[in-house]
Amino acid sequence: MLQNLVKSVWVPMKPYYTQAYQEIWLGMGLMSLIVYKIRSADKRSKALKGKIFASSKGGGQKTPSYFLRTRCPMA
Amino acid sequence: MNENLFASFAAPSMMGLPIVVLIVMFPSILFPTPSRLINNRLISIQQWLIQLTSKQMLAIHNQKGRTWALMLMSLILFIGSTNLLGLLPHSFTPTTQLSMNLGMAIPLWAGTVITGFRYKTKASLAHFLPQGTPLPLIPMLVIIETISLFIQPMALAVRLTANITAGHLLIHLIGGATLALINISATTAFITFIILILLTILEFAVALIQAYVFTLLVSLYLHDNT
């Protein structure tokens, strides 16, 4: 299958891929860099939002009702 | 209603697997490879259309620009066929996705700019300042020309996305309105149906025109840089 692929695709397209489209390969590299930057920024902002949300929920802080239950045996 | 309106633009999946790649590759089976000297009717018509388009589009280019002939013809065929297939009911159109159109626009635009800087560096730099600019305006105009250069791929992608998406949305809305009006007033529903038919004819034209405009602009950017 690979031999057929090389014969039918690579051999006729070789001058295009190796010479004519050199600048387009560079353009594709630029586009993949932009995609990577956007994705990593999105990941970072989502992680930051999750951190802010978790800390605003009061992670580890004791509520007033906790003190009422532990200090006052009648409650 | 709001969720239904944009549901057709969501990336399709079948049994949890994304099938966007299959949909993007589908138009290629509508263009069979010519294997004989005299082919069947379908291939002959396609060859005639490609020859007509390529003659018209490549007339302005020099030898360096004509090495892009295959790329430009593939581009117009792909965008045209994808847009036309998107007019089928309940189909997904890849060119409504901004990611797809940016994926086409940025490498091609960057390719033309890098070609210009590589083979004609002085002429490419000279494009940043129009001839006959008064001296006090030079700094501002260089900034404006730089911004207009970097806007080009964004404009290419957004133009195609907006045109195709807007057309699909209008068809969806007017089709929904026609259905809703059938029980209320048959005459109004009939008029809305006529509008829907005219809009569909317009969308056929827009599908082909947008493919031509995208390819023509890439060809013009290439011509400026070769």
PDB file of all heavy atoms in Angstrom, chain B residues 60-91:
ATOM      1  N   ILE B  60      -2.305  36.593 -15.717  1.00  0.00           N
ATOM      2  CA  ILE B  60      -1.542  37.735 -15.203  1.00  0.00           C
ATOM      3  C   ILE B  60      -0.193  37.318 -14.617  1.00  0.00           C
ATOM      4  O   ILE B  60       0.652  38.172 -14.340  1.00  0.00           O
ATOM      5  CB  ILE B  60      -2.341  38.487 -14.117  1.00  0.00           C
ATOM      6  CG1 ILE B  60      -2.728  37.554 -12.961  1.00  0.00           C
ATOM      7  CG2 ILE B  60      -3.545  39.156 -14.722  1.00  0.00           C
ATOM      8  CD1 ILE B  60      -3.200  38.277 -11.728  1.00  0.00           C
ATOM      9  N   HIS B  61       0.022  36.026 -14.424  1.00  0.00           N
ATOM     10  CA  HIS B  61       1.215  35.588 -13.699  1.00  0.00           C
ATOM     11  C   HIS B  61       2.406  35.347 -14.595  1.00  0.00           C
ATOM     12  O   HIS B  61       2.262  34.967 -15.758  1.00  0.00           O
ATOM     13  CB  HIS B  61       0.909  34.284 -12.942  1.00  0.00           C
ATOM     14  CG  HIS B  61       0.036  34.495 -11.756  1.00  0.00           C
ATOM     15  ND1 HIS B  61       0.468  35.126 -10.620  1.00  0.00           N
ATOM     16  CD2 HIS B  61      -1.245  34.172 -11.530  1.00  0.00           C
ATOM     17  CE1 HIS B  61      -0.510  35.180  -9.738  1.00  0.00           C
ATOM     18  NE2 HIS B  61      -1.570  34.612 -10.263  1.00  0.00           N
ATOM     19  N   ASN B  62       3.623  35.528 -13.995  1.00  0.00           N
ATOM     20  CA  ASN B  62       4.847  35.179 -14.710  1.00  0.00           C
ATOM     21  C   ASN B  62       5.173  33.698 -14.422  1.00  0.00           C
ATOM     22  O   ASN B  62       4.356  32.984 -13.844  1.00  0.00           O
ATOM     23  CB  ASN B  62       6.002  36.092 -14.285  1.00  0.00           C
ATOM     24  CG  ASN B  62       6.224  36.061 -12.778  1.00  0.00           C
ATOM     25  OD1 ASN B  62       5.731  35.167 -12.083  1.00  0.00           O
ATOM     26  ND2 ASN B  62       6.961  37.030 -12.265  1.00  0.00           N
ATOM     27  N   GLN B  63       6.366  33.265 -14.815  1.00  0.00           N
ATOM     28  CA  GLN B  63       6.716  31.850 -14.698  1.00  0.00           C
ATOM     29  C   GLN B  63       6.703  31.380 -13.247  1.00  0.00           C
ATOM     30  O   GLN B  63       6.252  30.270 -12.937  1.00  0.00           O
ATOM     31  CB  GLN B  63       8.102  31.620 -15.297  1.00  0.00           C
ATOM     32  CG  GLN B  63       8.378  30.176 -15.638  1.00  0.00           C
ATOM     33  CD  GLN B  63       9.751  29.977 -16.208  1.00  0.00           C
ATOM     34  OE1 GLN B  63      10.576  30.900 -16.290  1.00  0.00           O
ATOM     35  NE2 GLN B  63      10.054  28.763 -16.612  1.00  0.00           N
ATOM     36  N   LYS B  64       7.209  32.248 -12.339  1.00  0.00           N
ATOM     37  CA  LYS B  64       7.248  31.895 -10.915  1.00  0.00           C
ATOM     38  C   LYS B  64       5.830  31.748 -10.368  1.00  0.00           C
ATOM     39  O   LYS B  64       5.525  30.802  -9.648  1.00  0.00           O
ATOM     40  CB  LYS B  64       8.021  32.990 -10.145  1.00  0.00           C
ATOM     41  CG  LYS B  64       8.140  32.748  -8.667  1.00  0.00           C
ATOM     42  CD  LYS B  64       9.149  31.663  -8.336  1.00  0.00           C
ATOM     43  CE  LYS B  64       9.032  31.294  -6.859  1.00  0.00           C
ATOM     44  NZ  LYS B  64       9.014  29.860  -6.639  1.00  0.00           N
ATOM     45  N   GLY B  65       4.954  32.667 -10.752  1.00  0.00           N
ATOM     46  CA  GLY B  65       3.571  32.619 -10.270  1.00  0.00           C
ATOM     47  C   GLY B  65       2.827  31.401 -10.789  1.00  0.00           C
ATOM     48  O   GLY B  65       1.967  30.848 -10.105  1.00  0.00           O
ATOM     49  N   ARG B  66       3.167  30.952 -11.987  1.00  0.00           N
ATOM     50  CA  ARG B  66       2.454  29.814 -12.584  1.00  0.00           C
ATOM     51  C   ARG B  66       2.819  28.490 -11.925  1.00  0.00           C
ATOM     52  O   ARG B  66       2.133  27.497 -12.154  1.00  0.00           O
ATOM     53  CB  ARG B  66       2.702  29.751 -14.094  1.00  0.00           C
ATOM     54  CG  ARG B  66       1.878  30.798 -14.790  1.00  0.00           C
ATOM     55  CD  ARG B  66       2.113  30.891 -16.251  1.00  0.00           C
ATOM     56  NE  ARG B  66       1.421  32.074 -16.763  1.00  0.00           N
ATOM     57  CZ  ARG B  66       1.448  32.471 -18.016  1.00  0.00           C
ATOM     58  NH1 ARG B  66       2.135  31.790 -18.903  1.00  0.00           N
ATOM     59  NH2 ARG B  66       0.794  33.548 -18.382  1.00  0.00           N
ATOM     60  N   THR B  67       3.883  28.461 -11.084  1.00  0.00           N
ATOM     61  CA  THR B  67       4.156  27.220 -10.338  1.00  0.00           C
ATOM     62  C   THR B  67       3.075  26.971  -9.287  1.00  0.00           C
ATOM     63  O   THR B  67       2.966  25.871  -8.752  1.00  0.00           O
ATOM     64  CB  THR B  67       5.530  27.288  -9.630  1.00  0.00           C
ATOM     65  OG1 THR B  67       5.554  28.417  -8.773  1.00  0.00           O
ATOM     66  CG2 THR B  67       6.653  27.386 -10.634  1.00  0.00           C
ATOM     67  N   TRP B  68       2.257  28.021  -9.009  1.00  0.00           N
ATOM     68  CA  TRP B  68       1.165  27.882  -8.056  1.00  0.00           C
ATOM     69  C   TRP B  68      -0.144  27.456  -8.721  1.00  0.00           C
ATOM     70  O   TRP B  68      -1.189  27.453  -8.079  1.00  0.00           O
ATOM     71  CB  TRP B  68       0.937  29.209  -7.316  1.00  0.00           C
ATOM     72  CG  TRP B  68       1.877  29.484  -6.198  1.00  0.00           C
ATOM     73  CD1 TRP B  68       3.246  29.447  -6.253  1.00  0.00           C
ATOM     74  CD2 TRP B  68       1.548  29.846  -4.868  1.00  0.00           C
ATOM     75  NE1 TRP B  68       3.776  29.771  -5.023  1.00  0.00           N
ATOM     76  CE2 TRP B  68       2.741  30.035  -4.151  1.00  0.00           C
ATOM     77  CE3 TRP B  68       0.338  30.054  -4.192  1.00  0.00           C
ATOM     78  CZ2 TRP B  68       2.782  30.402  -2.814  1.00  0.00           C
ATOM     79  CZ3 TRP B  68       0.375  30.418  -2.854  1.00  0.00           C
ATOM     80  CH2 TRP B  68       1.587  30.588  -2.181  1.00  0.00           C
ATOM     81  N   ALA B  69      -0.095  27.115 -10.014  1.00  0.00           N
ATOM     82  CA  ALA B  69      -1.324  26.810 -10.755  1.00  0.00           C
ATOM     83  C   ALA B  69      -2.113  25.671 -10.111  1.00  0.00           C
ATOM     84  O   ALA B  69      -3.334  25.767  -9.918  1.00  0.00           O
ATOM     85  CB  ALA B  69      -0.987  26.453 -12.202  1.00  0.00           C
ATOM     86  N   LEU B  70      -1.407  24.598  -9.759  1.00  0.00           N
ATOM     87  CA  LEU B  70      -2.076  23.441  -9.160  1.00  0.00           C
ATOM     88  C   LEU B  70      -2.723  23.814  -7.835  1.00  0.00           C
ATOM     89  O   LEU B  70      -3.876  23.434  -7.556  1.00  0.00           O
ATOM     90  CB  LEU B  70      -1.056  22.306  -8.958  1.00  0.00           C
ATOM     91  CG  LEU B  70      -1.592  20.999  -8.392  1.00  0.00           C
ATOM     92  CD1 LEU B  70      -2.571  20.367  -9.343  1.00  0.00           C
ATOM     93  CD2 LEU B  70      -0.444  20.033  -8.121  1.00  0.00           C
ATOM     94  N   MET B  71      -2.009  24.606  -7.025  1.00  0.00           N
ATOM     95  CA  MET B  71      -2.530  25.011  -5.711  1.00  0.00           C
ATOM     96  C   MET B  71      -3.793  25.853  -5.883  1.00  0.00           C
ATOM     97  O   MET B  71      -4.806  25.630  -5.209  1.00  0.00           O
ATOM     98  CB  MET B  71      -1.453  25.792  -4.953  1.00  0.00           C
ATOM     99  CG  MET B  71      -1.902  26.361  -3.633  1.00  0.00           C
ATOM    100  SD  MET B  71      -2.510  25.135  -2.500  1.00  0.00           S
ATOM    101  CE  MET B  71      -1.011  24.423  -1.906  1.00  0.00           C
ATOM    102  N   LEU B  72      -3.737  26.830  -6.811  1.00  0.00           N
ATOM    103  CA  LEU B  72      -4.885  27.732  -6.986  1.00  0.00           C
ATOM    104  C   LEU B  72      -6.096  26.984  -7.540  1.00  0.00           C
ATOM    105  O   LEU B  72      -7.230  27.208  -7.095  1.00  0.00           O
ATOM    106  CB  LEU B  72      -4.504  28.895  -7.912  1.00  0.00           C
ATOM    107  CG  LEU B  72      -3.456  29.855  -7.344  1.00  0.00           C
ATOM    108  CD1 LEU B  72      -3.022  30.852  -8.408  1.00  0.00           C
ATOM    109  CD2 LEU B  72      -3.983  30.596  -6.135  1.00  0.00           C
ATOM    110  N   MET B  73      -5.875  26.101  -8.497  1.00  0.00           N
ATOM    111  CA  MET B  73      -6.998  25.343  -9.072  1.00  0.00           C
ATOM    112  C   MET B  73      -7.595  24.384  -8.046  1.00  0.00           C
ATOM    113  O   MET B  73      -8.807  24.234  -7.956  1.00  0.00           O
ATOM    114  CB  MET B  73      -6.544  24.565 -10.319  1.00  0.00           C
ATOM    115  CG  MET B  73      -6.312  25.453 -11.512  1.00  0.00           C
ATOM    116  SD  MET B  73      -7.763  26.422 -11.941  1.00  0.00           S
ATOM    117  CE  MET B  73      -7.242  28.039 -11.452  1.00  0.00           C
ATOM    118  N   SER B  74      -6.727  23.740  -7.249  1.00  0.00           N
ATOM    119  CA  SER B  74      -7.231  22.848  -6.181  1.00  0.00           C
ATOM    120  C   SER B  74      -8.041  23.653  -5.176  1.00  0.00           C
ATOM    121  O   SER B  74      -9.082  23.191  -4.701  1.00  0.00           O
ATOM    122  CB  SER B  74      -6.067  22.181  -5.459  1.00  0.00           C
ATOM    123  OG  SER B  74      -5.210  21.563  -6.366  1.00  0.00           O
ATOM    124  N   LEU B  75      -7.563  24.866  -4.874  1.00  0.00           N
ATOM    125  CA  LEU B  75      -8.250  25.712  -3.897  1.00  0.00           C
ATOM    126  C   LEU B  75      -9.650  26.080  -4.357  1.00  0.00           C
ATOM    127  O   LEU B  75     -10.636  25.909  -3.637  1.00  0.00           O
ATOM    128  CB  LEU B  75      -7.418  26.980  -3.678  1.00  0.00           C
ATOM    129  CG  LEU B  75      -7.827  27.906  -2.548  1.00  0.00           C
ATOM    130  CD1 LEU B  75      -7.607  27.236  -1.221  1.00  0.00           C
ATOM    131  CD2 LEU B  75      -7.026  29.187  -2.628  1.00  0.00           C
ATOM    132  N   ILE B  76      -9.775  26.541  -5.620  1.00  0.00           N
ATOM    133  CA  ILE B  76     -11.088  26.971  -6.103  1.00  0.00           C
ATOM    134  C   ILE B  76     -12.037  25.767  -6.230  1.00  0.00           C
ATOM    135  O   ILE B  76     -13.223  25.865  -5.908  1.00  0.00           O
ATOM    136  CB  ILE B  76     -10.982  27.779  -7.422  1.00  0.00           C
ATOM    137  CG1 ILE B  76     -12.303  28.483  -7.717  1.00  0.00           C
ATOM    138  CG2 ILE B  76     -10.547  26.943  -8.579  1.00  0.00           C
ATOM    139  CD1 ILE B  76     -12.258  29.494  -8.827  1.00  0.00           C
ATOM    140  N   LEU B  77     -11.494  24.613  -6.637  1.00  0.00           N
ATOM    141  CA  LEU B  77     -12.343  23.418  -6.750  1.00  0.00           C
ATOM    142  C   LEU B  77     -12.827  22.960  -5.381  1.00  0.00           C
ATOM    143  O   LEU B  77     -13.999  22.618  -5.203  1.00  0.00           O
ATOM    144  CB  LEU B  77     -11.552  22.279  -7.413  1.00  0.00           C
ATOM    145  CG  LEU B  77     -11.463  22.309  -8.914  1.00  0.00           C
ATOM    146  CD1 LEU B  77     -10.583  21.173  -9.401  1.00  0.00           C
ATOM    147  CD2 LEU B  77     -12.816  22.226  -9.559  1.00  0.00           C
ATOM    148  N   PHE B  78     -11.904  22.986  -4.388  1.00  0.00           N
ATOM    149  CA  PHE B  78     -12.259  22.523  -3.055  1.00  0.00           C
ATOM    150  C   PHE B  78     -13.310  23.427  -2.422  1.00  0.00           C
ATOM    151  O   PHE B  78     -14.352  22.956  -1.948  1.00  0.00           O
ATOM    152  CB  PHE B  78     -11.014  22.460  -2.160  1.00  0.00           C
ATOM    153  CG  PHE B  78     -11.326  22.152  -0.730  1.00  0.00           C
ATOM    154  CD1 PHE B  78     -11.759  20.891  -0.368  1.00  0.00           C
ATOM    155  CD2 PHE B  78     -11.208  23.112   0.257  1.00  0.00           C
ATOM    156  CE1 PHE B  78     -12.087  20.590   0.937  1.00  0.00           C
ATOM    157  CE2 PHE B  78     -11.529  22.828   1.570  1.00  0.00           C
ATOM    158  CZ  PHE B  78     -11.961  21.562   1.907  1.00  0.00           C
ATOM    159  N   ILE B  79     -13.044  24.752  -2.439  1.00  0.00           N
ATOM    160  CA  ILE B  79     -13.987  25.668  -1.787  1.00  0.00           C
ATOM    161  C   ILE B  79     -15.331  25.668  -2.520  1.00  0.00           C
ATOM    162  O   ILE B  79     -16.397  25.616  -1.898  1.00  0.00           O
ATOM    163  CB  ILE B  79     -13.401  27.099  -1.708  1.00  0.00           C
ATOM    164  CG1 ILE B  79     -12.125  27.101  -0.898  1.00  0.00           C
ATOM    165  CG2 ILE B  79     -14.407  28.048  -1.079  1.00  0.00           C
ATOM    166  CD1 ILE B  79     -11.416  28.433  -0.859  1.00  0.00           C
ATOM    167  N   GLY B  80     -15.294  25.673  -3.863  1.00  0.00           N
ATOM    168  CA  GLY B  80     -16.541  25.667  -4.646  1.00  0.00           C
ATOM    169  C   GLY B  80     -17.370  24.415  -4.386  1.00  0.00           C
ATOM    170  O   GLY B  80     -18.575  24.494  -4.115  1.00  0.00           O
ATOM    171  N   SER B  81     -16.719  23.263  -4.428  1.00  0.00           N
ATOM    172  CA  SER B  81     -17.476  22.008  -4.236  1.00  0.00           C
ATOM    173  C   SER B  81     -17.971  21.889  -2.801  1.00  0.00           C
ATOM    174  O   SER B  81     -19.107  21.439  -2.557  1.00  0.00           O
ATOM    175  CB  SER B  81     -16.618  20.802  -4.615  1.00  0.00           C
ATOM    176  OG  SER B  81     -15.444  20.776  -3.861  1.00  0.00           O
ATOM    177  N   THR B  82     -17.153  22.311  -1.822  1.00  0.00           N
ATOM    178  CA  THR B  82     -17.582  22.243  -0.421  1.00  0.00           C
ATOM    179  C   THR B  82     -18.775  23.159  -0.173  1.00  0.00           C
ATOM    180  O   THR B  82     -19.743  22.767   0.497  1.00  0.00           O
ATOM    181  CB  THR B  82     -16.418  22.644   0.503  1.00  0.00           C
ATOM    182  OG1 THR B  82     -15.270  21.890   0.151  1.00  0.00           O
ATOM    183  CG2 THR B  82     -16.746  22.402   1.946  1.00  0.00           C
ATOM    184  N   ASN B  83     -18.712  24.382  -0.718  1.00  0.00           N
ATOM    185  CA  ASN B  83     -19.821  25.317  -0.548  1.00  0.00           C
ATOM    186  C   ASN B  83     -21.102  24.795  -1.189  1.00  0.00           C
ATOM    187  O   ASN B  83     -22.195  24.909  -0.621  1.00  0.00           O
ATOM    188  CB  ASN B  83     -19.472  26.680  -1.146  1.00  0.00           C
ATOM    189  CG  ASN B  83     -18.431  27.418  -0.347  1.00  0.00           C
ATOM    190  OD1 ASN B  83     -18.125  27.048   0.776  1.00  0.00           O
ATOM    191  ND2 ASN B  83     -17.876  28.465  -0.915  1.00  0.00           N
ATOM    192  N   LEU B  84     -20.971  24.221  -2.391  1.00  0.00           N
ATOM    193  CA  LEU B  84     -22.168  23.728  -3.089  1.00  0.00           C
ATOM    194  C   LEU B  84     -22.761  22.516  -2.365  1.00  0.00           C
ATOM    195  O   LEU B  84     -23.985  22.397  -2.251  1.00  0.00           O
ATOM    196  CB  LEU B  84     -21.822  23.362  -4.534  1.00  0.00           C
ATOM    197  CG  LEU B  84     -21.620  24.544  -5.462  1.00  0.00           C
ATOM    198  CD1 LEU B  84     -21.065  24.090  -6.797  1.00  0.00           C
ATOM    199  CD2 LEU B  84     -22.916  25.305  -5.683  1.00  0.00           C
ATOM    200  N   LEU B  85     -21.909  21.622  -1.872  1.00  0.00           N
ATOM    201  CA  LEU B  85     -22.415  20.457  -1.129  1.00  0.00           C
ATOM    202  C   LEU B  85     -23.096  20.888   0.161  1.00  0.00           C
ATOM    203  O   LEU B  85     -24.004  20.222   0.649  1.00  0.00           O
ATOM    204  CB  LEU B  85     -21.269  19.486  -0.813  1.00  0.00           C
ATOM    205  CG  LEU B  85     -20.804  18.610  -1.962  1.00  0.00           C
ATOM    206  CD1 LEU B  85     -19.532  17.881  -1.593  1.00  0.00           C
ATOM    207  CD2 LEU B  85     -21.875  17.602  -2.358  1.00  0.00           C
ATOM    208  N   GLY B  86     -22.653  22.018   0.717  1.00  0.00           N
ATOM    209  CA  GLY B  86     -23.259  22.519   1.946  1.00  0.00           C
ATOM    210  C   GLY B  86     -24.680  23.000   1.774  1.00  0.00           C
ATOM    211  O   GLY B  86     -25.403  23.168   2.756  1.00  0.00           O
ATOM    212  N   LEU B  87     -25.080  23.209   0.503  1.00  0.00           N
ATOM    213  CA  LEU B  87     -26.458  23.659   0.261  1.00  0.00           C
ATOM    214  C   LEU B  87     -27.449  22.505   0.299  1.00  0.00           C
ATOM    215  O   LEU B  87     -28.661  22.729   0.266  1.00  0.00           O
ATOM    216  CB  LEU B  87     -26.543  24.387  -1.083  1.00  0.00           C
ATOM    217  CG  LEU B  87     -25.837  25.729  -1.084  1.00  0.00           C
ATOM    218  CD1 LEU B  87     -25.730  26.280  -2.492  1.00  0.00           C
ATOM    219  CD2 LEU B  87     -26.575  26.727  -0.205  1.00  0.00           C
ATOM    220  N   LEU B  88     -26.943  21.265   0.371  1.00  0.00           N
ATOM    221  CA  LEU B  88     -27.845  20.127   0.522  1.00  0.00           C
ATOM    222  C   LEU B  88     -28.447  20.177   1.922  1.00  0.00           C
ATOM    223  O   LEU B  88     -27.757  20.548   2.870  1.00  0.00           O
ATOM    224  CB  LEU B  88     -27.077  18.811   0.342  1.00  0.00           C
ATOM    225  CG  LEU B  88     -26.555  18.515  -1.060  1.00  0.00           C
ATOM    226  CD1 LEU B  88     -25.581  17.351  -1.014  1.00  0.00           C
ATOM    227  CD2 LEU B  88     -27.698  18.213  -2.006  1.00  0.00           C
ATOM    228  N   PRO B  89     -29.719  19.797   2.079  1.00  0.00           N
ATOM    229  CA  PRO B  89     -30.338  19.874   3.402  1.00  0.00           C
ATOM    230  C   PRO B  89     -29.640  18.966   4.405  1.00  0.00           C
ATOM    231  O   PRO B  89     -29.204  17.868   4.062  1.00  0.00           O
ATOM    232  CB  PRO B  89     -31.774  19.406   3.157  1.00  0.00           C
ATOM    233  CG  PRO B  89     -31.992  19.552   1.712  1.00  0.00           C
ATOM    234  CD  PRO B  89     -30.674  19.381   1.047  1.00  0.00           C
ATOM    235  N   HIS B  90     -29.545  19.467   5.641  1.00  0.00           N
ATOM    236  CA  HIS B  90     -28.982  18.725   6.774  1.00  0.00           C
ATOM    237  C   HIS B  90     -27.513  18.352   6.596  1.00  0.00           C
ATOM    238  O   HIS B  90     -27.016  17.476   7.282  1.00  0.00           O
ATOM    239  CB  HIS B  90     -29.791  17.441   7.062  1.00  0.00           C
ATOM    240  CG  HIS B  90     -31.209  17.713   7.402  1.00  0.00           C
ATOM    241  ND1 HIS B  90     -31.603  18.276   8.596  1.00  0.00           N
ATOM    242  CD2 HIS B  90     -32.338  17.532   6.679  1.00  0.00           C
ATOM    243  CE1 HIS B  90     -32.918  18.422   8.598  1.00  0.00           C
ATOM    244  NE2 HIS B  90     -33.396  17.985   7.456  1.00  0.00           N
ATOM    245  N   SER B  91     -26.810  19.001   5.673  1.00  0.00           N
ATOM    246  CA  SER B  91     -25.387  18.678   5.510  1.00  0.00           C
ATOM    247  C   SER B  91     -24.545  19.633   6.335  1.00  0.00           C
ATOM    248  O   SER B  91     -24.996  20.714   6.710  1.00  0.00           O
ATOM    249  CB  SER B  91     -24.988  18.762   4.039  1.00  0.00           C
ATOM    250  OG  SER B  91     -25.150  20.077   3.592  1.00  0.00           O
TER     251      SER B  91
END
